[in-house]
Amino acid sequence: YFSADGALLVRREGDEFFDVAPVWNWRHVPGTTSYDDGKELWGTHLRLPYNKSSKVFGVVSGDMMAVAMEYDRDSVMARKTWIFSPDAIVCMGHDVTSLRSGDEIVTTVEQTRLVGKVKSGKNYVWHNGVTYVPVGSSFSFAGTVLGQGDWTVAAPYYGDGLVKEELFEVNISHGVCPDGATYGYCIVPSGMDPKTAVRYVRKNVRMISESQVALGSVKIDIDWNNNMINIR
């Protein structure tokens, strides 16, 4: 239901999402901005409410890539951008708006299998070799949750026995009916020491506006009117 809305799954070892289907919160797919109205997810590939915007574009330049999408689905709107460099992934969103009365809107930074301990400081959360650093916003939740469910969500032939597993999750809440909310965070997946990762982000990442980001000496310009990104 939400998995085509800007999902970003970070893998270092390859098994971070192994057999996670029955225990995942499918409303909190990493990278997406979504809602939870407490109802069962509905629809088929023929009946899902598709994104009303066709603005999905990107560019590759050297060892950097930037992609952007305008999101307008199920009465939730946002402009979302991801910038990939050899050292970090910069994620930002602007104009997060919802017409869904009573439903909290959440951008999920991460939701993966728990591996070892979670470390956190004033300006970061670290788990399994990946550091998550908020930029211009703050994390609403960062820690462990108990995921539970059964395989009927993805592979009914495995049976409907209850499956439980500890998950690691980070998210940003925009509250109910946000009107033009923003968010920003940086993922450093290189295994860098978390404090070093924080220093890297502070030194190199500047979110100037919804149309411009600086990453070190490189500037990324997003032209939302013409569906173009320039890396210079």
Side-chain angles (χ1 to χ4, degrees):
Y1 194 93
F2 293 114
S3 59
D5 294 347
L8 174 62
L9 307 187
V10 178
R11 290 181 170 92
R12 295 185 72 245
E13 304 296 334
D15 61 352
E16 286 83 353
F17 302 95
F18 180 73
D19 279 355
V20 79
V23 296
W24 232 22
N25 179 350
W26 287 85
R27 299 177 184 277
H28 287 184
V29 176
T32 66
T33 299
S34 62
Y35 64 88
D36 186 354
D37 59 5
K39 299 178 182 178
E40 184 176 355
L41 294 176
W42 64 274
T44 68
H45 69 288
L46 298 177
R47 295 184 60 240
L48 284 175
Y50 289 107
N51 188 3
K52 295 178 181 178
S53 175
S54 60
K55 290 182 180 291
V56 181
F57 51 99
V59 66
V60 174
S61 178
D63 57 4
M64 294 186 65
M65 178 175 72
V67 293
M69 72 178 294
E70 188 174 69
Y71 183 65
D72 182 0
R73 190 167 82 88
D74 249 4
S75 299
V76 179
M77 289 75 76
R79 283 182 167 178
K80 300 167 68 72
T81 305
W82 299 263
I83 299 163
F84 300 82
S85 78
D87 297 307
I89 306 168
V90 179
C91 312
M92 70 176 188
H94 293 82
D95 298 330
V96 180
T97 301
S98 173
L99 305 178
R100 301 185 62 87
S101 177
D103 295 336
E104 180 186 19
I105 307 303
V106 172
T107 295
T108 302
V109 176
E110 184 63 278
Q111 188 195 184
T112 184
R113 295 170 62 237
L114 179 66
V115 179
K117 294 183 178 180
V118 176
K119 301 177 183 178
S120 61
K122 183 179 180 180
N123 299 301
Y124 73 87
V125 181
W126 179 96
H127 170 254
N128 197 25
V130 183
T131 305
Y132 307 85
V133 183
V135 180
S137 58
S138 59
F139 297 145
S140 304
F141 176 83
T144 61
V145 296
L146 177 63
Q148 56 184 359
D150 60 64
W151 275 105
T152 58
V153 69
Y157 45 82
Y158 284 151
D160 59 358
L162 182 64
V163 181
K164 296 182 180 181
E165 186 167 351
E166 289 287 327
L167 302 174
F168 167 71
E169 180 171 341
V170 183
N171 62 50
I172 299 169
S173 173
H174 306 295
V176 176
C177 293
D179 184 8
T182 64
Y183 69 82
Y185 60 92
C186 197
I187 301 174
V188 184
S190 61
M192 189 184 298
D193 173 84
K195 292 185 178 180
T196 303
V198 170
R199 288 194 295 269
Y200 169 84
V201 172
R202 285 181 172 177
K203 180 179 179 180
N204 291 281
V205 178
R206 286 191 300 123
M207 297 182 183
I208 301 168
S209 70
E210 69 173 51
S211 300
Q212 190 174 73
V213 180
L215 187 53
S217 60
V218 178
K219 284 190 177 180
I220 301 94
D221 299 301
I222 304 105
D223 185 344
W224 290 99
N225 293 324
N226 296 302
N227 298 355
M228 294 179 61
I229 301 177
N230 181 37
I231 298 176
R232 53 188 174 86

